[in-house]
Amino acid sequence: MKSRGKTGAGIITGWSSMGLPAVFLLCIFFFFLGFFGSSLFSQQVENESASLHITRPRPRMLNQNEYDPMPQGDSGDDYFTTIPFQILSWKPRALYFPGFATEQQCNGIIKMAKVKLAPSTLALRKGETAENTKDIRTSSGMFVSSYEDKTGILDQIEKKIERATMIPRRHGEAFNVLRYDLGQKYNSHYDAFNPTEYGPQKSQRIASFLLYLSDVEEGGETMFPFENGENADSNYDFRKCIGLKIKPRKGDGLLFYSLYPNGTIDPTSLHGSCPVIKGQKWVATKWLRNEEDFD
C-alpha cells in the first residue's frame, strides 16, 4: 500500500515541479496532436470511400407496408406503385425513367420488329415530297400494336406507360420501332402537327414516350436544341446535334410533352436523334393523342 502511495505522490510532485507554463504548453501540444490526428484519419476514410466508389445514398423506394391506401374509385387500384423518374427539363417538360423495361422485354421487341423493318417515312408538309425530304430521317422502322403482339410484351409496356403518363392507353398510337445504323439520324422536328403547315388536325399528339431498346456506344442521343429557350432566336441549323442530350440506355424511357396545357405547341419540344457514331440504336416510340379516335 505504501509503495502505491509513493508512486502516486511522485506523479503529482513531477507535474508540480514542471510549473504552470510547462503544463499549459503540454496541454496545447496534446490538443493539436489530437486535432490533426483526427483530421488525417477523416481524410483517410474519405479517400478509402472514394476508392470503393461509394456514392450518395440512393432515394428510398416506396414500401407497400408503410402506408394505408385510401379508398379508391371504381377505376382505381388498392395498391401503391413506384415508377422512378427524373425531371430532365421543364422547358420542354421532359422526364427520364430508368429501368422502365427489362432486357428480356427489349430483346423481344427487337426480335418481332426485325422481320418487318422498312425505310422510315415522314408526314409531309404542303409542298414537300419524299424525294426532297429523304435526308431528314434515315432510320428503318415498323409499326406494331399491342394486340398484334402474341408474346404480351407490348401489352405490359403499354400498361406501364399508361400509369407513368396518366394518359389512357387508348389514346396511344401503335408502337413505332426504329433502328438507326451507323451514321443514321433524324433531324430536329416536332411530333405535334402545326395546322398551318399540315392542315386541320382531327387530333393532336400531346406527348411522346421513347423506350430505348439498346445501348449505343457513341452518338445516337435524343437532343432538344431549344431547351430552356436556347438557340431559338438564331438561324438554327436543323442538322446540328446541340442542346440537351439524352444518351440511349437499354431499358430506359424518355417522356416529353409536345403541347402546353392550353393545347398549343411547345416550341421547346423541338427534338431530334443525333447520328450514330459507333454501334446501333434501337428505340420504340409511343405517341399519345388528345383524342381516342385519331385515324
Side-chain angles (χ1 to χ4, degrees):
M1 293 294 291
K2 289 182 180 181
S3 61
R4 291 183 61 188
K6 287 180 180 180
T7 304
I11 293 174
I12 295 172
T13 302
W15 278 95
S16 300
S17 63
M18 293 177 65
L20 288 176
V23 172
F24 179 73
L25 290 174
L26 278 173
C27 290
I28 293 176
F29 171 78
F30 284 115
F31 170 80
F32 281 106
L33 182 64
F35 176 79
F36 287 112
S38 63
S39 298
L40 290 172
F41 178 77
S42 176
Q43 183 66 38
Q44 183 181 1
V45 171
E46 291 179 5
N47 292 337
E48 290 176 355
S49 297
S51 66
L52 292 173
H53 304 289
I54 296 175
T55 57
R56 61 183 179 180
R58 297 178 64 84
R60 184 172 57 85
M61 300 299 288
L62 186 65
N63 189 330
Q64 171 74 31
N65 299 322
E66 291 183 21
Y67 306 97
D68 294 325
M70 296 289 289
Q72 77 278 2
D74 293 337
S75 62
D77 296 316
D78 61 353
Y79 61 90
F80 292 101
T81 182
T82 300
I83 304 176
F85 68 89
Q86 176 190 355
I87 298 175
L88 295 180
S89 169
W90 279 100
K91 298 178 181 180
R93 289 172 292 157
L95 307 175
Y96 165 70
F97 294 84
F100 193 84
T102 66
E103 181 177 2
Q104 291 75 19
Q105 289 174 326
C106 293
N107 292 341
I109 296 173
I110 291 175
K111 183 179 179 181
M112 75 176 72
K114 276 184 175 180
V115 296
K116 295 183 179 180
L117 289 177
S120 299
T121 58
L122 289 172
L124 301 176
R125 299 181 180 91
K126 298 175 183 178
E128 289 183 334
T129 65
E131 181 62 26
N132 62 26
T133 59
K134 64 181 181 180
D135 190 49
I136 294 176
R137 191 185 194 191
T138 57
S139 60
S140 299
M142 54 87 71
F143 286 89
V144 58
S145 299
S146 57
Y147 65 82
E148 299 176 275
D149 171 26
K150 305 306 180 183
T151 69
I153 294 175
L154 292 181
D155 182 66
Q156 296 168 8
I157 298 297
E158 200 166 66
K159 286 179 179 178
K160 195 168 183 179
I161 291 175
E162 181 180 48
R163 289 184 177 277
T165 62
M166 288 295 289
I167 298 175
R169 59 189 298 188
R170 57 183 177 272
H171 285 248
E173 299 181 33
F175 285 92
N176 185 201
V177 184
L178 301 166
R179 185 187 69 192
Y180 292 83
D181 290 321
L182 190 66
Q184 293 188 330
K185 42 80 178 180
Y186 193 175
N187 290 351
S188 302
H189 62 282
Y190 290 101
D191 282 351
F193 299 105
N194 189 335
T196 61
E197 297 177 332
Y198 294 93
Q201 299 295 304
K202 187 175 182 180
S203 69
Q204 190 58 278
R205 287 174 175 171
I206 303 173
S208 303
F209 193 98
L210 279 61
L211 176 62
Y212 298 114
L213 304 175
S214 68
D215 296 318
V216 181
E217 292 183 63
E218 188 177 355
E221 300 93 345
T222 303
M223 53 94 175
F224 296 87
F226 292 173
E227 195 266 333
N228 204 31
E230 297 294 326
N231 308 305
D233 297 331
S234 62
N235 187 17
Y236 172 66
D237 185 348
F238 283 72
R239 295 168 297 182
K240 289 184 177 180
C241 183
I242 58 176
L244 173 64
K245 297 180 185 179
I246 297 90
K247 183 176 178 61
R249 296 198 307 197
K250 189 172 188 175
D252 292 355
L254 172 67
L255 168 69
F256 64 91
Y257 291 86
S258 297
L259 302 185
Y260 288 127
N262 63 5
T264 61
I265 297 175
D266 179 358
T268 64
S269 68
L270 185 82
H271 64 286
S273 181
C274 298
V276 173
I277 299 173
K278 187 177 181 181
Q280 191 179 68
K281 175 183 176 180
W282 283 88
V283 61
T285 299
K286 168 69 73 171
W287 289 299
L288 302 165
R289 297 266 187 165
N290 61 349
E291 299 286 347
E292 293 183 37
D293 185 11
F294 45 78
D295 294 329

